[in-house]
Amino acid sequence: MAGATQKYEEDARQEIAFLENELKNWFMQRKIAMERNIAIRKTLQVNNFSGLESYAEGIPDAQKVMWTQLVNGKPTLENSLGVDAREMKADMYLKMFKQSTDLDHPCRIPGSAFLRCLKQNFAGNDADRDSACGRAFGVFDACRKGIQQQQAEATDAALAKQDIADRRAKSLFERRSVLLDTLSQ
């Protein structure tokens, strides 16, 4: 009987060592991923690759609104603006867009085409611009939505993967606790 108890205790100690090693690996992976993500975020913020976010300090409200229209809405040149102001706003949209996308960005061409159309038709009214640039905006909007969908899917997949790893770590910890309790008795 004593031999079986010793064998169980030895096996339990080995399993505890294995579980602790797995938990250490999980913890290190989470810590490294967190530090990596913080470093990436910091680098993006320093170089303003995170965009003109609504919580960014020191950015004029007009630029935030224009950024939101470029990313989610529809850039417009209001008829209430003078002709020169509409031209200037079209230039600002185009400049902001070109500065925020690199040449490999999938929406660079359709976005530039739409914004150039907007610039070419700044002197007309909203209806004329909509009819002239409507197709170009449709292509640009579809591209934006496709990228946003890819980002959402990637985020969901990463969160699911993290959740699986966290649940596994929780079950390993619980198993370790049970083994430690049985050894202490």
Side-chain angles (χ1 to χ4, degrees), residues 148-165:
Q148 290 169 349
Q149 180 66 31
Q150 288 174 353
Q151 290 171 343
E153 289 170 0
T155 300
D156 290 344
L159 289 173
K161 183 179 177 183
Q162 180 177 312
D163 188 51
I164 290 168

Side-chain angles (χ1 to χ4, degrees), residues 6-7 16 30 33 48 52 75 79 88 94-95 106 116-117 126 133 143 147 152 161 169 171-172:
Q6 287 177 339
K7 175 72 173 142
I16 289 170
R30 286 297 301 269
N48 197 27
L52 303 173
N79 284 335
M88 186 175 92
L94 197 54
K95 180 181 177 188
R116 275 194 310 270
C117 179
D126 283 336
C133 304
C143 183
I147 287 177
K161 183 179 177 183
S171 67
L172 291 173

Side-chain angles (χ1 to χ4, degrees), residues 13 55 147:
R13 283 188 183 86
Y55 59 84
I147 287 177

Side-chain angles (χ1 to χ4, degrees), residues 131-152:
S131 66
C133 304
R135 181 173 290 153
F137 176 73
V139 174
F140 174 52
D141 192 41
C143 183
R144 289 186 312 183
K145 287 179 180 172
I147 287 177
Q148 290 169 349
Q149 180 66 31
Q150 288 174 353
Q151 290 171 343

Side-chain angles (χ1 to χ4, degrees), residues 58-178:
I59 297 184
D61 290 338
Q63 284 187 343
K64 289 180 188 180
V65 169
M66 290 178 74
W67 177 255
T68 302
Q69 290 173 345
L70 279 172
V71 174
N72 294 314
K74 182 176 182 181
T76 58
L77 305 176
E78 297 83 6
N79 284 335
S80 60
L81 298 173
V83 176
D84 292 338
R86 285 188 295 225
E87 182 179 19
M88 186 175 92
K89 189 173 181 182
D91 287 336
M92 289 171 65
Y93 274 129
L94 197 54
K95 180 181 177 188
M96 185 182 291
F97 182 74
K98 286 185 176 180
Q99 287 177 342
S100 64
T101 57
D102 60 8
L103 295 175
D104 294 334
H105 194 284
C107 294
R108 173 78 179 227
I109 293 173
S112 294
F114 167 67
L115 294 170
R116 275 194 310 270
C117 179
L118 210 59
K119 180 168 172 43
Q120 291 168 353
N121 294 289
F122 72 88
N125 60 29
D126 283 336
D128 293 340
R129 278 190 298 279
D130 284 345
S131 66
C133 304
R135 181 173 290 153
F137 176 73
V139 174
F140 174 52
D141 192 41
C143 183
R144 289 186 312 183
K145 287 179 180 172
I147 287 177
Q148 290 169 349
Q149 180 66 31
Q150 288 174 353
Q151 290 171 343
E153 289 170 0
T155 300
D156 290 344
L159 289 173
K161 183 179 177 183
Q162 180 177 312
D163 188 51
I164 290 168
D166 291 350
R167 288 174 191 261
R168 180 177 180 271
K170 180 181 176 186
S171 67
L172 291 173
F173 186 80
E174 289 170 352
R175 174 68 179 152
R176 178 184 170 273
S177 296
V178 168

Side-chain angles (χ1 to χ4, degrees), residues 1-10:
M1 191 64 123
T5 304
Q6 287 177 339
K7 175 72 173 142
Y8 175 77
E9 287 177 0
E10 182 181 325

Side-chain angles (χ1 to χ4, degrees), residues 8-9 11-20 23 172-185:
Y8 175 77
E9 287 177 0
D11 289 345
R13 283 188 183 86
Q14 287 177 349
E15 188 175 351
I16 289 170
F18 169 77
L19 294 171
E20 287 174 348
L23 287 169
L172 291 173
F173 186 80
E174 289 170 352
R175 174 68 179 152
R176 178 184 170 273
S177 296
V178 168
L179 289 172
L180 288 173
D181 288 344
T182 58
L183 284 179
S184 67
Q185 294 175 357

